[in-house]
Every structure is written in structure tokens, then in C-alpha cells.
Amino acid sequence: MLQGEGLVEKIHGKGNFVRRSLRRITYVGGWGARDPQAAPDTALRITVRTTKTRARGHLTALLGVSTGSPLTEFLCLSYEAESPHSLARIYVPRDLAPAAVSNEPRQHEGAAERFAALRPTSEVRETVSARLPTPDEASTLRISSALAVLAITRVTADITGRVVEAALLVLPGDRADAVFTTHHVTDEGWMER
């Protein structure tokens, strides 16, 4: 019952541990997760595993490519100390991905900025939903399978309309907020353009 409420963390082969409260995750619409109040010494550690794959299933629709098209998958897992913080699977058409592809997980500083630099962006479309985690997500994030997650699907297109990235982000629902800001153009501003 305590594990189901997120108060106890069960680690296979080690035992049950009281789960310390982790800092909140703020997802800022248009790019990613961050903690605006985080001090520099409490930065998250991010590991990235890069894999060559082929488009299949829902990825073909998200990226607007045919089945079997070559993709690069970036599996990004962020940690606060030793506790998993958030999970992202980012898919990029292989011709747009960086040349060096490795299957070994590596730690990255400024991973979000590096992905942003890969391509000029014209449009970002995001779908946000709350759902139960898959068994793999619950295991990776070390959360109860009864705890809802905030699932964000982000599709990014370049100035020509080509989809250059599809990101599937999963944040534990008990500590995640999503913030979206909309800028309205006034009629006068529209006329001046």
C-alpha cells in the first residue's frame, strides 16, 4: 500500500526504502522539462543512449515517414542524485541526426540545448495526457504502476514543414507541472506585419 502511494520505493534485490521527496519538474511548453528554481549545484544528471532504428507503428505517422525509414532514437533519462527524474525518447530522421551514434549510455551536459541546435524550428505541436505508466516506464522511473504519469508527445517541424523530431516524454505525475504560454497578436500588430 505504501509503495502504491509513492511513499516507499522497492528496489529489486535490495529491499524497500522510504522514498525521499524529489523536486518538482516543470515542463515548459515548446521545449522541455526544467526546474527554474534549481540551484546550479543541484543540476540533473542526464544519460543519453543513442540507437539506430527504423520507423514503424505510430512513429511513421508522427514523423510523416514511410515504414522502415531510418531513424535515430535518443533515450534520455535524467536523474536527481541516484533517483530517476524523467524519461524521454526522441526520434530524429537519421539524415538529420549527429554523425556519431553509440549504443553506450553517456552523460551529457546541456542535452536540451544540443537537440535544439540540430534544426531550425518553425512549429512545435504538443499533446499532453495523463495515463498510467507502461511496465517499462514504471520500472525505469522506479514508480508505482498505479501512479499516473504526464505523457507529452512533441512533434517539431522545420520551416519547410518537414517533421524533424518526435519526442515522447514521460514525467511522474506526482511531481510534474506543465506550463504553456500563448502570445496573442493584436489586430494592429497583425496589420503591421
Side-chain angles (χ1 to χ4, degrees), residues 89-162:
R89 283 181 162 65
I90 301 172
Y91 297 91
V92 177
R94 199 166 309 150
D95 62 321
L96 299 176
V101 175
S102 167
N103 289 327
E104 295 302 313
R106 299 182 315 259
Q107 289 189 32
H108 287 275
E109 300 279 333
E113 291 81 5
R114 290 183 187 179
F115 282 114
L118 285 177
R119 70 279 182 265
T121 302
S122 173
E123 178 182 288
V124 177
R125 186 179 73 244
E126 298 176 293
T127 304
V128 180
S129 62
R131 61 169 173 79
L132 293 177
T134 65
D136 182 51
E137 292 166 347
S139 173
T140 300
L141 292 171
R142 292 190 216 150
I143 59 174
S144 166
S145 59
L147 174 69
V149 293
L150 189 63
I152 302 168
T153 301
R154 184 183 64 227
V155 177
T156 306
D158 66 12
I159 55 176
T160 68
R162 179 184 181 191

Side-chain angles (χ1 to χ4, degrees), residues 51-74 89-93 125 153-155 163 165-168:
T51 308
K52 292 180 179 180
T53 188
R54 298 274 177 183
R56 64 190 188 292
H58 71 286
L59 291 177
T60 58
L62 285 176
L63 288 159
V65 295
S66 57
T67 300
S69 295
L71 304 175
T72 300
E73 176 191 50
F74 299 91
R89 283 181 162 65
I90 301 172
Y91 297 91
V92 177
R125 186 179 73 244
T153 301
R154 184 183 64 227
V155 177
V163 175
E165 172 197 81
L168 309 174

